Each structure stands twice: as structure tokens, then as C-alpha cells.
Short mmCIF file of all heavy atoms in Angstrom, two decimals:
data_model
loop_
_atom_site.label_atom_id
_atom_site.label_comp_id
_atom_site.label_asym_id
_atom_site.label_seq_id
_atom_site.Cartn_x
_atom_site.Cartn_y
_atom_site.Cartn_z
N GLN A 1 65.58 -135.43 -20.02
CA GLN A 1 64.79 -134.27 -20.47
C GLN A 1 65.58 -132.98 -20.37
O GLN A 1 65.62 -132.17 -21.30
CB GLN A 1 63.51 -134.16 -19.64
CG GLN A 1 62.49 -135.22 -19.89
CD GLN A 1 61.31 -135.11 -18.92
OE1 GLN A 1 61.48 -134.74 -17.76
NE2 GLN A 1 60.10 -135.41 -19.38
N ALA A 2 66.23 -132.79 -19.21
CA ALA A 2 66.95 -131.53 -18.96
C ALA A 2 68.16 -131.40 -19.88
O ALA A 2 68.51 -130.28 -20.32
CB ALA A 2 67.38 -131.44 -17.52
N LEU A 3 68.83 -132.50 -20.18
CA LEU A 3 69.97 -132.45 -21.08
C LEU A 3 69.55 -131.88 -22.44
O LEU A 3 70.21 -130.99 -23.00
CB LEU A 3 70.58 -133.83 -21.26
CG LEU A 3 71.48 -134.33 -20.13
CD1 LEU A 3 71.79 -135.82 -20.29
CD2 LEU A 3 72.78 -133.53 -20.05
N ARG A 4 68.46 -132.41 -22.97
CA ARG A 4 68.00 -131.91 -24.29
C ARG A 4 67.48 -130.49 -24.19
O ARG A 4 67.75 -129.67 -25.07
CB ARG A 4 66.93 -132.87 -24.84
CG ARG A 4 67.46 -134.22 -25.30
CD ARG A 4 68.41 -134.02 -26.47
NE ARG A 4 68.88 -135.31 -27.01
CZ ARG A 4 70.14 -135.70 -27.03
NH1 ARG A 4 71.10 -134.90 -26.51
NH2 ARG A 4 70.50 -136.85 -27.54
N GLU A 5 66.77 -130.18 -23.12
CA GLU A 5 66.24 -128.81 -22.96
C GLU A 5 67.37 -127.80 -22.87
O GLU A 5 67.21 -126.65 -23.28
CB GLU A 5 65.38 -128.73 -21.72
CG GLU A 5 64.05 -129.47 -21.85
CD GLU A 5 63.35 -129.66 -20.51
OE1 GLU A 5 63.89 -129.17 -19.48
OE2 GLU A 5 62.25 -130.26 -20.49
N GLN A 6 68.52 -128.22 -22.33
CA GLN A 6 69.66 -127.30 -22.16
C GLN A 6 70.61 -127.35 -23.33
O GLN A 6 71.70 -126.78 -23.26
CB GLN A 6 70.37 -127.64 -20.85
CG GLN A 6 69.53 -127.34 -19.61
CD GLN A 6 70.09 -127.92 -18.35
OE1 GLN A 6 71.32 -127.95 -18.16
NE2 GLN A 6 69.24 -128.44 -17.46
N GLY A 7 70.22 -128.03 -24.40
CA GLY A 7 70.99 -127.98 -25.62
C GLY A 7 72.03 -129.07 -25.82
O GLY A 7 72.84 -128.96 -26.75
N ALA A 8 72.04 -130.08 -24.98
CA ALA A 8 73.01 -131.16 -25.16
C ALA A 8 72.75 -131.87 -26.48
O ALA A 8 71.63 -132.36 -26.73
CB ALA A 8 72.91 -132.16 -24.00
N ALA A 9 73.76 -131.95 -27.30
CA ALA A 9 73.61 -132.60 -28.60
C ALA A 9 74.15 -133.99 -28.63
O ALA A 9 73.90 -134.76 -29.58
CB ALA A 9 74.31 -131.75 -29.68
N GLY A 10 74.88 -134.41 -27.58
CA GLY A 10 75.50 -135.73 -27.58
C GLY A 10 74.51 -136.86 -27.40
O GLY A 10 73.33 -136.64 -27.06
N SER A 11 74.99 -138.06 -27.57
CA SER A 11 74.15 -139.26 -27.45
C SER A 11 73.79 -139.53 -25.99
O SER A 11 74.60 -139.32 -25.08
CB SER A 11 74.86 -140.47 -28.04
OG SER A 11 76.14 -140.64 -27.45
N ILE A 12 72.55 -139.96 -25.77
CA ILE A 12 72.05 -140.29 -24.43
C ILE A 12 71.51 -141.71 -24.47
O ILE A 12 70.64 -142.04 -25.29
CB ILE A 12 70.94 -139.33 -23.99
CG1 ILE A 12 71.42 -137.88 -23.97
CG2 ILE A 12 70.42 -139.71 -22.60
CD1 ILE A 12 70.31 -136.86 -23.71
N LEU A 13 71.99 -142.54 -23.55
CA LEU A 13 71.49 -143.91 -23.42
C LEU A 13 70.97 -144.10 -22.00
O LEU A 13 71.70 -143.91 -21.03
CB LEU A 13 72.61 -144.92 -23.69
CG LEU A 13 72.27 -146.39 -23.40
CD1 LEU A 13 71.14 -146.89 -24.30
CD2 LEU A 13 73.52 -147.28 -23.58
N LEU A 14 69.70 -144.47 -21.87
CA LEU A 14 69.07 -144.71 -20.58
C LEU A 14 68.83 -146.21 -20.48
O LEU A 14 68.16 -146.81 -21.32
CB LEU A 14 67.77 -143.92 -20.46
CG LEU A 14 67.06 -143.93 -19.12
CD1 LEU A 14 66.20 -142.66 -18.97
CD2 LEU A 14 66.16 -145.15 -18.91
N VAL A 15 69.36 -146.83 -19.43
CA VAL A 15 69.28 -148.28 -19.24
C VAL A 15 68.47 -148.58 -17.99
O VAL A 15 68.82 -148.14 -16.89
CB VAL A 15 70.70 -148.91 -19.11
CG1 VAL A 15 70.57 -150.41 -18.93
CG2 VAL A 15 71.54 -148.58 -20.32
N GLY A 16 67.37 -149.30 -18.13
CA GLY A 16 66.52 -149.65 -17.00
C GLY A 16 66.12 -151.12 -17.02
O GLY A 16 65.86 -151.67 -18.09
N ARG A 17 66.04 -151.73 -15.86
CA ARG A 17 65.74 -153.16 -15.81
C ARG A 17 64.22 -153.45 -15.81
O ARG A 17 63.82 -154.59 -15.93
CB ARG A 17 66.36 -153.78 -14.57
CG ARG A 17 65.82 -153.26 -13.26
CD ARG A 17 66.63 -153.78 -12.10
NE ARG A 17 66.15 -153.23 -10.85
CZ ARG A 17 66.87 -153.14 -9.74
NH1 ARG A 17 68.12 -153.56 -9.75
NH2 ARG A 17 66.35 -152.66 -8.64
N GLU A 18 63.39 -152.42 -15.66
CA GLU A 18 61.96 -152.65 -15.64
C GLU A 18 61.43 -152.97 -17.05
O GLU A 18 62.06 -152.73 -18.06
CB GLU A 18 61.24 -151.45 -15.06
CG GLU A 18 61.43 -151.29 -13.57
CD GLU A 18 60.37 -150.39 -12.96
OE1 GLU A 18 59.18 -150.55 -13.30
OE2 GLU A 18 60.76 -149.53 -12.13
N LEU A 19 60.17 -153.49 -17.07
CA LEU A 19 59.54 -153.84 -18.32
C LEU A 19 59.13 -152.61 -19.11
O LEU A 19 59.04 -152.64 -20.34
CB LEU A 19 58.31 -154.73 -18.07
CG LEU A 19 58.53 -156.00 -17.24
CD1 LEU A 19 57.21 -156.76 -17.13
CD2 LEU A 19 59.60 -156.88 -17.86
N ASP A 20 58.84 -151.52 -18.39
CA ASP A 20 58.32 -150.32 -19.01
C ASP A 20 59.39 -149.24 -19.11
O ASP A 20 60.29 -149.19 -18.27
CB ASP A 20 57.17 -149.76 -18.21
CG ASP A 20 56.00 -150.74 -18.13
OD1 ASP A 20 55.23 -150.81 -19.10
OD2 ASP A 20 55.87 -151.42 -17.09
N PRO A 21 59.27 -148.34 -20.10
CA PRO A 21 60.12 -147.14 -20.10
C PRO A 21 59.78 -146.29 -18.87
O PRO A 21 58.81 -146.58 -18.16
CB PRO A 21 59.71 -146.44 -21.40
CG PRO A 21 59.03 -147.46 -22.22
CD PRO A 21 58.39 -148.40 -21.26
N PRO A 22 60.56 -145.24 -18.60
CA PRO A 22 60.34 -144.47 -17.36
C PRO A 22 58.91 -143.97 -17.21
O PRO A 22 58.25 -143.56 -18.18
CB PRO A 22 61.33 -143.30 -17.55
CG PRO A 22 62.44 -143.86 -18.36
CD PRO A 22 61.75 -144.77 -19.34
N TYR A 23 58.42 -144.01 -15.96
CA TYR A 23 57.06 -143.57 -15.68
C TYR A 23 57.02 -142.98 -14.26
O TYR A 23 57.92 -143.18 -13.45
CB TYR A 23 56.07 -144.73 -15.79
CG TYR A 23 56.40 -145.91 -14.93
CD1 TYR A 23 55.96 -145.98 -13.60
CD2 TYR A 23 57.15 -146.97 -15.41
CE1 TYR A 23 56.27 -147.09 -12.79
CE2 TYR A 23 57.46 -148.08 -14.63
CZ TYR A 23 57.02 -148.11 -13.34
OH TYR A 23 57.33 -149.20 -12.53
N HIS A 24 55.95 -142.25 -13.99
CA HIS A 24 55.74 -141.70 -12.64
C HIS A 24 55.26 -142.79 -11.71
O HIS A 24 54.34 -143.54 -12.06
CB HIS A 24 54.72 -140.55 -12.70
CG HIS A 24 55.19 -139.36 -13.46
ND1 HIS A 24 56.13 -138.49 -13.00
CD2 HIS A 24 54.81 -138.89 -14.70
CE1 HIS A 24 56.36 -137.53 -13.90
NE2 HIS A 24 55.57 -137.75 -14.93
N ARG A 25 55.81 -142.85 -10.49
CA ARG A 25 55.44 -143.90 -9.56
C ARG A 25 54.24 -143.58 -8.66
O ARG A 25 53.57 -144.53 -8.21
CB ARG A 25 56.65 -144.27 -8.69
CG ARG A 25 57.75 -144.94 -9.53
CD ARG A 25 58.86 -145.53 -8.67
NE ARG A 25 59.92 -146.01 -9.56
CZ ARG A 25 59.97 -147.20 -10.13
NH1 ARG A 25 58.99 -148.06 -9.89
NH2 ARG A 25 60.96 -147.55 -10.93
N PRO A 26 53.93 -142.31 -8.32
CA PRO A 26 52.77 -142.09 -7.45
C PRO A 26 51.47 -142.75 -7.94
O PRO A 26 50.70 -143.21 -7.09
CB PRO A 26 52.67 -140.57 -7.42
CG PRO A 26 54.09 -140.11 -7.53
CD PRO A 26 54.70 -141.07 -8.52
#
């Protein structure tokens, strides 16, 4: 989120082993 908010134009790849995309844990 912060990369895009700060103007990063490059490619971003997020790799996670969970079944779901990122989420809040509380």
C-alpha cells in the first residue's frame, strides 16, 4: 500500500502461503 501511495511505479509481487489474500488478524 505504502509503495503505491508514495508513487512507486515498479512491479510489486506479494507471495503468501495462506489460502486467502492479506487480511487483518485481530
Side-chain angles (χ1 to χ4, degrees):
Q1 289 174 325
L3 282 169
R4 287 296 183 243
E5 289 167 1
Q6 293 168 38
S11 54
I12 302 173
L13 172 62
L14 188 154
V15 180
R17 65 188 177 202
E18 288 199 44
L19 305 181
D20 298 281
Y23 56 87
H24 294 287
R25 294 189 185 274

